Amino acid sequence: MAYIVVFAPLLAAMIAGLLQKQISDRTAQIITTGATITSTLCSIALFFDVIVGGNARTYELVEWMAVGGFEIAWAIRLDTLSAIMLVVITSVSSLVHVYSWGYMSHDPHRARFFAYLSLFTFTMLSLVTADNFVQMFFGWEGVGLASYLLIGFWYDKESANAAAIKAFVTNRVGDFGLVLGIMAIYVVFGTLQFDEVFMLIPQHAETTLNIFGMEFLALELIAFLLFVGAMGKSAQFFLHVWLPDAMEGPTPVSALIHAATMVTAGVFLVCRAHGIFELAPNASAFITMIGAVTAIYAATVGLAQNDIKRVIAYSTCSQLGYMFFAAGLGLYSAAMFHLFTHAFFKALLFLGAGSVIHSLHGEQDMRNMGGIYRVLPVTWIMMIIGALSLTGVGIPLMGIGFAGFYSKDMIIEEAFMMGRDGLPFGMFAFWIGMIAAGLTSFYSWRLIFMTFHGVHRGAPEVLSHIHKNGPVMLIPLTVLAVGAVFAGAAFKSDFVGKKALVFWGESLPAGPYAEGYYGHNVDYGDSRTDDHGQGAHADTPVTDDHGDTYESERHGHHHPPIWVLFSPFVATLLGFVCSWFFYVANPALPGRIAAANGPLHRFLSNKWYFDELYDAIFVRPTRWLGDLFWKFGDQKIIDGLGPNGVAATVLASARRIARLQNGYLYHYAFVMLIGVFGLILWLISGAGV
């Protein structure tokens, strides 16, 4: 069954891609979609087998590499962490495949598109089922290749080609760090097998590496290099610039890349290698800082974007920031929980945006939308559900809320607890997370109000000829909406609550605190201890810094004060009110602000000027250096003095010699006489000697 999960999408991609001229587009769609759905069903069965049956295992398929004493096998690793990723990847991919039947119905290259989707799915499955760093790197590079093909799918558009190249190059920068990290792992541990490396980690806590005369703690350096790779793949600050441009690809691609596959690979890497990061506090602090900065950066930029897909893209970037600062604080289970819930509501938002774009005949600018909720009621409701889940709407202490409420609020609350215990950047991450939550609410409702409410601001004929989407596009939205509503409540106790210790097994720590404090019925068991060695049922009252006292008999020694629990709710509410004030109560006000084009608006709409900054620092100097080597070094020096110089000399000489060949017989006779005369002189002079 595990073989089917991983290799069914690959087989379908090969058939659809290599035989697209021999089979019809419809046949290619059936094969790829059927293979992905089959993979999904098998993934669900494996999930219950691993989680409920406790049957974690590894299948070694074939010896992949053998060089001296270095041996690597292609394997399929099945534990809780990989089982969760299998379900998330295959389920979202299946829904995207089905959705694409409607969205790409008029594209003449549907077979190629579905082949790329299935190839993308296979490479991501290869990544998350790897049991060694080499196989993981294969999947890592595979999703990079597949994303390049999908982003640039409409290759006749110059912007799509540029976006694909930008994504590919930016990810290669991060991947260089990942390669160095993998090399360092082999130097230190002598192996690249996950189990062997993780078992040897405690023995190398003080191991150092000498690089260019400088001493580095090996685990700190390895953790930092691995995270550089994660920064590129998961679009973290400094290496985030490719993510919004990836919207040039078809909308189903955006949902697949942003919701469950490529961008979550970095979070998966950090969680998979958590043993390394737990003994690398400086690298973990760096992860916390970068994650928090990414969360606030993307949230601020999202305020001023007008492309509906780019707003959601920056939302993805911001939510990935939450996941990373949670992982940097050691809250790996909370990071994975948010990754899990995020897959549902982010895929819902992207596919909902695609439904809007498809209905409006390709229009993506929200300034040309509005007033369409009556003609697209299902899409409107689905998008609202996605926004409610993204913004984390829920009632603290009552356990009532959308999926994002359970996962994102937990990260914010646990960041406060970590910061209060003195973990570096913990309190910084808490306040950034709070501010980002308010901004997320603002731009999410801004998207809803500008897209669906008010008067229609586009061309009248677009609204009068609006294209309503059929069931093939709406059914995936409905399925994702169910997950966006119920996934958090359904899996909270497993991921981070009272069942977390059993749920994660050996694959991931359940968390340092009594996570999941959303009601008065939480029981974490006697095995949970805090950092002072007290059990989870310690019978002492806990008083927070603000004077609130809680009984810890059932909730564990650590849990946030009341004001922290309600702070995300208040921030979300304020964001909604502000968005309503700007885009419903005073719809002309945002236009006047944009027309004024003040410094803050320019700063945000130009994405903190990162593209301009990188263009000045990297692109222009690189282009100038390339032109120097090309036009001066290659053309003038190498070609001028080399091939072109020699060729020009030979050509000139040949032209001069050719003048002697004029075709007159008396000229040839005269030359022959001169030759004979010269030969006689030579013989006479030789005889005289």
Side-chain angles (χ1 to χ4, degrees):
M1 189 177 294
Y3 305 153
I4 296 175
V5 171
V6 177
F7 293 107
L10 174 62
L11 180 61
M14 294 174 63
I15 295 173
L18 300 178
L19 302 178
Q20 55 183 296
K21 292 184 178 180
Q22 287 73 33
I23 61 177
S24 65
D25 289 338
R26 179 58 62 90
T27 303
Q29 293 174 224
I30 293 173
I31 292 173
T32 53
T33 306
T36 311
I37 293 176
T38 302
S39 182
T40 302
L41 297 176
C42 292
S43 295
I44 295 173
L46 287 176
F47 176 83
F48 284 103
D49 186 36
V50 171
I51 306 302
V52 180
N55 192 18
R57 57 202 182 276
T58 298
Y59 296 105
E60 289 193 3
L61 305 183
V62 65
E63 186 178 71
W64 191 20
M65 299 180 185
V67 182
F70 177 75
E71 296 182 357
I72 289 291
W74 186 284
I76 298 177
R77 182 187 181 98
L78 294 176
D79 59 5
T80 304
L81 192 59
S82 60
I84 290 169
M85 293 301 296
L86 289 179
V87 172
V88 170
I89 294 166
T90 56
S91 59
V92 173
S93 179
S94 296
L95 294 172
V96 168
H97 273 75
V98 173
Y99 178 91
S100 299
W101 280 56
Y103 193 89
M104 302 295 290
S105 59
H106 300 295
D107 194 282
H109 305 291
R110 295 191 299 280
R112 178 166 59 90
F113 177 78
F114 279 85
Y116 289 169
L117 286 184
S118 292
L119 176 64
F120 196 114
T121 305
F122 161 72
T123 54
M124 191 65 192
L125 293 173
S126 301
L127 191 160
V128 300
T129 56
D131 81 327
N132 60 79
F133 284 98
V134 176
Q135 183 182 334
M136 187 199 69
F137 186 71
F138 168 84
W140 194 274
E141 293 303 297
V143 293
L145 168 64
S147 66
Y148 170 80
L149 296 173
L150 286 168
I151 294 169
F153 178 76
W154 287 323
Y155 54 83
D156 54 340
K157 292 173 56 179
E158 183 178 351
S159 58
N161 292 327
I165 294 172
K166 188 175 184 179
F168 195 82
V169 171
T170 305
N171 275 274
R172 298 295 73 73
V173 174
D175 293 351
F176 181 66
L178 178 60
V179 170
L180 293 178
I182 294 174
M183 292 178 180
I185 289 173
Y186 187 74
V187 169
V188 173
F189 296 97
T191 180
L192 293 175
Q193 294 291 136
F194 286 155
D195 289 336
E196 296 176 8
V197 170
F198 300 156
M199 182 179 61
L200 296 173
I201 286 174
Q203 302 177 22
H204 294 279
E206 303 299 328
T207 301
T208 59
L209 290 174
N210 187 292
I211 301 177
F212 301 120
M214 297 180 290
E215 291 287 334
F216 296 93
L217 283 173
L219 293 184
E220 290 281 6
L221 180 62
I222 290 170
F224 174 78
L225 291 173
L226 292 180
F227 178 64
V228 171
M231 286 175 65
K233 198 66 69 182
S234 295
Q236 292 300 282
F237 199 67
F238 296 123
L239 295 180
H240 64 276
V241 291
W242 68 270
L243 193 63
D245 289 359
M247 299 302 98
E248 290 294 335
T251 301
V253 173
S254 304
L256 190 61
I257 292 177
H258 287 247
T261 52
M262 181 172 171
V263 295
T264 61
V267 180
F268 173 83
L269 169 62
V270 174
C271 290
R272 174 61 82 194
H274 67 88
I276 296 175
F277 291 93
E278 286 177 335
L279 294 181
N282 294 325
S284 295
F286 179 72
I287 294 173
T288 304
M289 182 191 68
I290 291 295
V293 172
T294 303
I296 194 66
Y297 158 77
T300 56
V301 173
L303 300 175
Q305 301 304 304
N306 295 309
D307 186 302
I308 186 172
K309 289 171 61 177
R310 286 180 180 258
V311 173
I312 304 173
Y314 279 108
S315 168
T316 298
C317 193
S318 182
Q319 298 307 305
L320 287 167
Y322 278 96
M323 298 176 206
F324 273 108
F325 78 64
L329 293 171
L331 302 166
Y332 305 104
S333 58
M336 286 301 301
F337 188 30
H338 196 47
L339 184 155
F340 177 74
T341 61
H342 176 265
F344 291 102
F345 60 73
K346 190 51 58 69
L348 175 61
L349 286 170
F350 268 117
L351 296 186
S355 178
V356 172
I357 295 169
H358 191 255
S359 299
L360 298 181
H361 306 283
E363 181 59 67
Q364 295 185 199
D365 195 328
M366 296 187 299
R367 292 171 296 185
N368 297 327
M369 299 180 185
I372 62 173
Y373 74 94
R374 291 188 181 89
V375 291
L376 297 175
V378 177
T379 302
W380 172 57
I381 294 172
M382 296 297 105
M383 292 285 283
I384 288 179
I385 292 174
L388 290 170
S389 189
L390 168 62
T391 56
V393 173
I395 303 176
L397 299 179
M398 294 185 63
I400 300 174
F402 291 80
F405 160 71
Y406 295 96
S407 57
K408 186 172 71 174
D409 282 25
M410 176 181 301
I411 290 176
I412 294 174
E413 293 158 13
E414 294 299 336
F416 172 84
M417 298 303 297
M418 295 298 232
R420 194 171 71 170
D421 281 3
L423 207 65
F425 296 105
M427 202 57 71
F428 171 74
F430 165 72
W431 286 111
I432 290 296
M434 284 289 304
I435 298 171
L439 297 177
T440 299
S441 179
F442 181 89
Y443 68 66
S444 296
W445 288 107
R446 172 180 178 264
L447 182 149
I448 297 296
F449 294 145
M450 289 186 68
T451 302
F452 294 99
H453 295 267
V455 298
H456 186 70
R457 298 175 296 277
E461 59 271 14
V462 173
L463 189 61
S464 60
H465 295 86
I466 198 166
H467 177 71
K468 293 187 178 181
N469 300 306
V472 73
M473 294 179 65
L474 297 180
I475 290 176
L477 295 179
T478 305
V479 175
L480 290 169
V482 172
V485 175
F486 298 109
F491 290 95
K492 169 178 67 70
S493 61
D494 293 311
F495 275 80
V496 289
K498 58 185 178 181
K499 302 177 184 177
L501 286 171
V502 177
F503 179 81
W504 288 111
E506 299 295 326
S507 64
L508 207 63
Y513 295 107
E515 299 175 337
Y517 178 67
Y518 293 105
H520 296 286
N521 58 349
V522 183
D523 184 4
Y524 298 101
D526 294 327
S527 62
R528 290 294 297 271
T529 58
D530 62 27
D531 49 4
H532 303 291
Q534 298 182 1
H537 290 277
D539 231 351
T540 55
V542 179
T543 304
D544 64 67
D545 296 337
H546 301 273
D548 295 316
T549 302
Y550 300 94
E551 180 182 331
S552 62
E553 179 180 354
R554 294 185 59 78
H555 306 303
H557 187 75
H558 293 281
H559 48 76
I562 288 291
W563 73 268
V564 173
L565 296 176
F566 278 89
S567 293
F569 175 79
V570 173
T572 300
L573 182 61
L574 288 175
F576 169 79
V577 172
C578 291
S579 185
W580 176 86
F581 176 79
F582 276 92
Y583 295 97
V584 177
N586 299 280
L589 183 58
R592 292 199 296 269
I593 294 175
N597 200 26
L600 180 60
H601 182 270
R602 290 199 304 271
F603 183 69
L604 297 182
S605 61
N606 286 284
K607 302 160 288 189
W608 291 24
Y609 292 102
F610 260 97
D611 285 337
E612 291 79 2
L613 182 65
Y614 282 5
D615 185 66
I617 296 176
F618 300 112
V619 178
R620 291 181 185 176
T622 302
R623 184 181 292 124
W624 177 85
L625 187 63
D627 287 345
L628 177 66
F629 286 137
W630 168 38
K631 296 180 179 179
F632 182 75
D634 188 22
Q635 292 184 339
K636 292 187 178 180
I637 296 179
I638 297 176
D639 288 346
L641 299 179
N644 292 346
V646 172
T649 302
V650 171
L651 179 62
S653 302
R655 286 175 176 171
R656 292 188 179 93
I657 294 174
R659 293 174 183 172
L660 299 176
Q661 307 298 322
N662 52 21
Y664 295 112
L665 183 61
Y666 58 86
H667 283 182
Y668 298 153
F670 180 70
V671 171
M672 293 173 64
L673 288 174
I674 293 176
V676 171
F677 181 73
L679 179 61
I680 293 173
L681 289 178
W682 179 76
L683 292 173
I684 293 174
S685 62
V689 174

